[in-house]
Amino acid sequence: GVSRAGLLAGLESVVVKAQKKAREKESGQMSLLAMMPEDSQSSCPGIGFDCPEQGMPEWEHDTFSRCEKEALGFFFTSHPLQPFRREMLRQNLTPLEECRELPPGSSFKCAVLANAGKLRFDRKNRRWALLDVEDLTASGTAFCFSDAYELYKDLLQPDVPLYMEGKISRPRDEDPAEAPEGEDAPPKEVKFIVEKVMLLSDACAASAQPVCIEMEADKGLEGRLDCLKEVLQKHKGQTCVHVLLNLGDSWCRMELSASYSVMPGPELDQDIGVWAKG
């Protein structure tokens, strides 16, 4: 009955009350409440007593995921890239799992987390980084050589959603014929050379691909359009919006006027999701 943000914010008050109760017990003091039968004692859900922290809203998704990772060592409830799923489709980004089958030298765009980096030095004593990267489908290794490293080193922070452009360096040299009989060959390892890095949120805003919204042509269409209008005006930006209208036996794609252009990103997707369910 209480958010994690509220639990953490109320922790100090809980400790103070618990210490006070322990001191009273040690000194032999007894409250009227303690003398009552357990069945007649009311319990307060959540933090355990009335306090301002009881009704605090939950953290934003990125804070929630970061704190969960700090506490557990891994993402449990969600993943920092999860809110960007629609945006990754809109920008036609390639999942790392699909990169396994790309030939060496292939260019691609992806959304990843750069979880760990090992600094190296080239022959000219310039720094470059060997990065462990992951997305929602697989993990891999990214080579961020000296020129790219100097440009993007400040962005290479743990668990920050990043947009990357790169080229496949080489697949893992494993011959399927060498796999034990009756077993499949191990999957190819994803290794690529980093050419460009941006915050994924900035890449969402910079992409010229239209935001597409699907909806049914039913009797309540006019009211739903009014609600959609409010959502789009809440997220004003520079990216055009297309509505894909399902007419039953066909689809109609409509490009909305520039006055309904939006700022793409997880916040817009979340509000569109709420609108679609309503």
Side-chain angles (χ1 to χ4, degrees):
V2 63
S3 66
R4 287 171 173 80
L7 288 172
L8 187 60
L11 182 59
E12 185 174 350
S13 298
V14 171
V15 171
V16 171
K17 279 186 173 291
Q19 290 174 340
K20 180 181 178 182
K21 195 170 184 178
R23 287 195 299 268
E24 290 175 350
K25 187 176 181 180
E26 290 175 359
S27 64
Q29 295 182 28
M30 185 175 291
S31 66
L32 290 176
L33 185 62
M35 297 174 65
M36 296 172 59
E38 289 188 9
D39 292 343
S40 62
Q41 294 184 28
S42 60
S43 60
C44 183
I47 291 180
F49 56 90
D50 290 329
C51 59
E53 295 83 1
Q54 184 78 18
M56 284 183 63
E58 190 55 275
W59 289 309
E60 295 293 330
H61 184 275
D62 55 347
T63 304
F64 186 97
S65 297
R66 175 176 52 79
C67 291
E68 194 171 71
K69 177 76 175 290
E70 288 177 1
L72 303 176
F74 55 89
F75 300 111
F76 180 71
T77 307
S78 187
H79 190 281
L81 292 177
Q82 192 72 28
F84 291 92
R85 288 181 70 95
R86 284 174 59 93
E87 279 299 300
M88 290 154 67
L89 292 173
R90 181 177 73 91
Q91 298 184 59
N92 196 29
L93 303 186
T94 305
L96 290 181
E97 180 66 32
E98 295 182 12
C99 293
R100 298 185 194 277
E101 305 305 322
L102 295 178
S106 298
S107 297
F108 67 97
K109 302 175 292 183
C110 63
V112 298
L113 302 181
N115 292 322
K118 299 177 181 178
L119 285 180
R120 300 283 191 270
F121 291 87
D122 62 16
R123 294 178 180 177
K124 296 182 180 180
N125 205 34
R126 297 180 302 176
R127 293 181 300 175
W128 63 280
L130 189 65
L131 305 172
D132 293 332
V133 296
E134 68 168 85
D135 67 0
L136 296 171
T137 65
S139 59
T141 301
F143 299 90
C144 192
F145 292 126
S146 55
D147 290 343
Y149 181 77
E150 288 304 315
L151 283 174
Y152 307 121
K153 60 185 178 182
D154 293 338
L155 297 177
L156 302 176
Q157 303 298 321
D159 302 327
V160 174
L162 297 175
Y163 165 92
M164 283 191 180
E165 295 180 9
K167 284 187 177 181
I168 298 294
S169 56
R170 65 178 182 86
R172 192 171 172 177
D173 296 325
E174 290 184 340
D175 186 350
E178 295 181 0
E181 187 175 352
E183 295 184 15
D184 295 331
K188 296 177 181 178
E189 185 177 357
V190 181
K191 293 184 178 181
F192 64 94
I193 299 170
V194 175
E195 297 183 329
K196 183 178 180 178
V197 182
M198 293 176 65
L199 292 175
L200 186 52
S201 56
D202 291 345
C204 293
S207 174
Q209 292 295 323
V211 172
C212 294
I213 303 172
E214 295 184 10
M215 59 187 306
E216 303 287 334
D218 51 24
K219 293 182 179 179
L221 179 60
E222 185 174 351
R224 299 194 70 215
L225 285 174
D226 288 339
C227 294
L228 179 60
K229 178 180 177 180
E230 294 178 4
V231 172
L232 300 181
Q233 289 179 336
K234 178 182 175 183
H235 299 276
K236 282 186 174 295
Q238 302 298 319
T239 303
C240 68
V241 176
H242 289 185
V243 171
L244 300 177
L245 194 60
N246 186 357
L247 302 175
D249 56 353
S250 61
W251 288 84
C252 175
R253 178 187 286 264
M254 298 180 292
E255 181 178 349
L256 304 188
S257 71
S259 61
Y260 294 108
S261 294
V262 294
M263 172 69 74
E267 293 81 9
L268 172 64
D269 291 340
Q270 182 178 12
D271 285 351
I272 289 177
V274 173
W275 164 82
K277 292 178 181 177

